[in-house]
Amino acid sequence: MKCVLSFGVLAAAALATAAVQAAETPAQQAVAAFRGLCGTGELAPGAVLARADALGWRRGGADAPKDFDPAADRLSPKGTLPLELYVTSETSAGERRDVCGLRVTSPIPGLDAAVEAWLGFKPSFAMPPAATFLAVRTGEAWASGATVDRAAFAKLKAEGRYYSIMAADGGSGGQDQAPAMLMLLHVRRLSTADRAPAPPPRPPRPAR
């Protein structure tokens, strides 16, 4: 089992490396890296970090921000577009929320268009310099989730196939300039079997 998992990680890493190398603009490079880390395979933080490690992403360096956490963050390899990967996961109220994102300290124009080219559909919400894509994932394929009805949404969420993908290119400069960001949010409704068992009831207090 360990060998199969390692082969899968290495295969995903090879495909992601080829995609990044084929990209031309900074926006395309950022989205190719994001796709290879956050847009494929399992999204548990350990799985994402394993893909990053296989691609040569760094666990620290002189260029790491002050709040960098090697347990949850990675820096892109030296000589490539400077990106910071971050992953989080939490479970509450019967749901698991996984976040996988990339950030960079400078603007990257055209991130929303590069995400649209990858996914193959327009954003569900767009307010420049940010755009949000509601997406349904089937294997490695993506489709728009903007028009699904409430029943379909509940079913997709329970199946773990509904995602939100956000892109912010940082603006065009001046006072509106901000760091660029790509983020994928995956919310999955947990089944009864997936949920942590309830704590045992407290024993009754002895009578005084």
Side-chain angles (χ1 to χ4, degrees), residues 19-207:
V20 173
Q21 290 174 344
E24 296 179 357
T25 68
Q28 290 172 330
Q29 293 172 22
V31 171
F34 178 72
R35 178 180 182 178
L37 294 171
C38 303
T40 187
E42 187 184 349
L43 274 175
V48 175
L49 294 175
R51 287 196 289 273
D53 291 341
L55 286 165
W57 285 58
R58 297 171 291 135
R59 301 187 182 209
D63 52 340
K66 291 182 179 179
D67 60 350
F68 184 84
D69 179 4
D73 303 335
R74 293 290 186 271
L75 298 174
S76 55
K78 285 284 189 181
T80 65
L81 187 70
L83 300 168
E84 180 189 353
L85 168 71
Y86 62 96
V87 291
T88 65
S89 183
E90 65 175 21
T91 301
S92 64
E95 292 183 341
R96 172 170 171 159
R97 289 171 287 278
D98 291 315
V99 172
C100 180
L102 294 179
R103 52 190 167 220
V104 63
T105 55
S106 59
I108 301 181
L111 272 183
D112 54 346
V115 172
E116 181 179 332
W118 159 41
L119 295 175
F121 53 86
K122 293 187 176 298
S124 306
F125 311 103
M127 185 176 293
T132 299
F133 298 79
L134 301 179
V136 176
R137 180 178 171 184
T138 304
E140 297 299 313
W142 297 87
S144 176
T147 59
V148 300
D149 59 28
R150 182 170 296 184
F153 170 73
K155 183 175 184 293
L156 290 166
K157 190 174 178 182
E159 294 172 349
R161 296 174 51 213
Y162 202 86
Y163 297 74
S164 297
I165 298 172
M166 286 143 274
D169 63 23
S172 57
Q175 293 182 342
D176 295 331
Q177 182 170 310
M181 177 271 295
L182 290 163
M183 185 180 77
L184 183 149
L185 169 64
H186 180 220
V187 181
R188 180 168 66 90
R189 188 75 185 168
L190 297 177
S191 66
T192 304
D194 289 331
R195 301 184 191 185
R202 284 184 170 184
R205 283 177 144 183

